[in-house]
Amino acid sequence: MKILPLPVVALMAAALATAAPAPVFAQAPTIQVNRENRTIAITATDKVTAIADTATVHVGFITYGPDKDAAYAAGSTLSNAIVKALTNAGIPSDAIESENQNVSPVQDYQIDKLTPTERAQRKFQVTQSWTVRTNAADAAKTLDLAVKAGANQSGQIDWSLKDENAPQAEAAAKALQRARTVAGEMAKGLKVNLGPLIFAGNETQAEPVRPLMQMMDARAKVASAPPPLAINPRQIEKTATVYAVFAIE
């Protein structure tokens, strides 16, 4: 019986397992190809999805004043009102983290389309923002509390999982099972028996950040007290690619 050497087998396996280019695995060993060491190498990818259970809500504000002191006073009032609204709702202080804060003069091009009276009231600006970590189910309520307290530059939500390892491990296990299945089919085609797994390497693939929405218009006004926005948690996708080497008998 003629056994295909490793390079040919590996190329056939990669074509069957995935159409994507095979990743480079720094930990992959050097496999000796000879009559005593016959192998099939497979690269396979699989994924799992899970509903996010954690939300990081981005909230912030911008306010203006005719001079630095007036703008700072207005910013201080808004800043403390927003944080108070969040903490009064039961959000722990250590779940509210400052992102940035700034007091600066307003540039002429930013207000050149305003009336002289409006320009006079916008000589200086104060901006501040936070991230608020909360349960995914409370994301809409958290955003609503901040906006109604004056957070007029808010809206982005980052979704995540409390336990990132479990779905990643599940994706790796599915990819390894896929590799074993493909290797088994190849072994049948070669009229040999698939032996034990002798090496496996895993590569985690990063997911792109998917914000929920753009920042709300800084000049938007809340005329009444509408209900919170309808916000649903995102699905989180975890992908794993494995490089597996099986013995053949």
Side-chain angles (χ1 to χ4, degrees):
M1 179 183 302
K2 184 178 180 181
I3 304 302
L4 292 177
L6 173 61
V8 176
V9 174
L11 287 174
M12 291 175 61
L16 287 171
T18 175
V24 176
F25 293 87
Q27 301 295 325
T30 300
I31 304 296
Q32 297 279 338
V33 181
N34 52 50
R35 291 180 179 276
E36 289 72 38
N37 183 16
R38 299 178 298 174
T39 59
I40 293 177
I42 303 290
T43 298
T45 299
D46 217 318
K47 63 183 179 181
V48 298
T49 57
I51 298 296
D53 55 19
T54 302
T56 300
V57 185
H58 296 254
V59 301
F61 71 85
I62 183 169
T63 191
Y64 302 93
D67 53 52
K68 182 182 67 176
D69 292 340
Y72 186 80
S76 175
T77 299
L78 268 178
S79 177
N80 286 280
I82 292 167
V83 172
K84 183 178 180 181
L86 295 172
T87 55
N88 284 353
I91 297 174
S93 296
D94 59 4
I96 307 170
E97 297 182 0
S98 292
E99 280 194 299
N100 61 70
Q101 44 282 316
N102 184 57
V103 181
S104 61
V106 176
Q107 302 300 312
D108 290 339
Y109 74 88
Q110 295 177 283
I111 55 175
D112 59 0
K113 294 183 180 180
L114 301 180
T115 66
T117 300
E118 290 173 328
R119 288 199 295 270
Q121 294 300 313
R122 292 196 176 198
K123 294 296 185 180
F124 278 81
Q125 63 184 5
V126 176
T127 60
Q128 189 172 10
S129 63
W130 303 262
T131 58
V132 185
R133 298 188 312 277
T134 187
N135 293 327
D138 294 330
K141 176 184 175 182
T142 300
L143 179 61
D144 185 67
L145 285 167
V147 170
K148 289 176 179 175
N152 55 12
Q153 284 199 319
S154 304
Q156 180 178 325
I157 300 178
D158 302 324
W159 303 100
S160 59
L161 298 166
K162 292 178 183 177
D163 183 1
E164 300 280 350
N165 293 326
Q168 190 63 61
E170 184 181 350
K174 289 178 66 177
L176 184 58
Q177 183 57 49
R178 179 187 292 269
R180 187 183 299 276
T181 299
V182 173
E185 292 301 314
M186 290 190 63
K188 288 180 183 179
L190 295 169
K191 301 187 184 307
V192 296
N193 295 320
L194 186 67
L197 175 71
I198 60 176
F199 173 80
N202 175 40
E203 180 184 82
T204 301
Q205 297 182 8
E207 307 89 30
V209 177
R210 301 192 301 176
L212 173 70
M213 57 188 293
Q214 297 295 321
M215 289 294 185
M216 296 178 179
D217 190 327
R219 291 168 293 181
K221 303 297 182 180
V222 179
S224 58
L229 298 178
I231 296 174
N232 294 325
R234 289 268 193 173
Q235 285 192 346
I236 304 297
E237 182 178 290
K238 293 294 181 180
T239 302
T241 298
V242 299
Y243 174 75
V245 182
F246 299 89
I248 55 176
E249 302 168 348

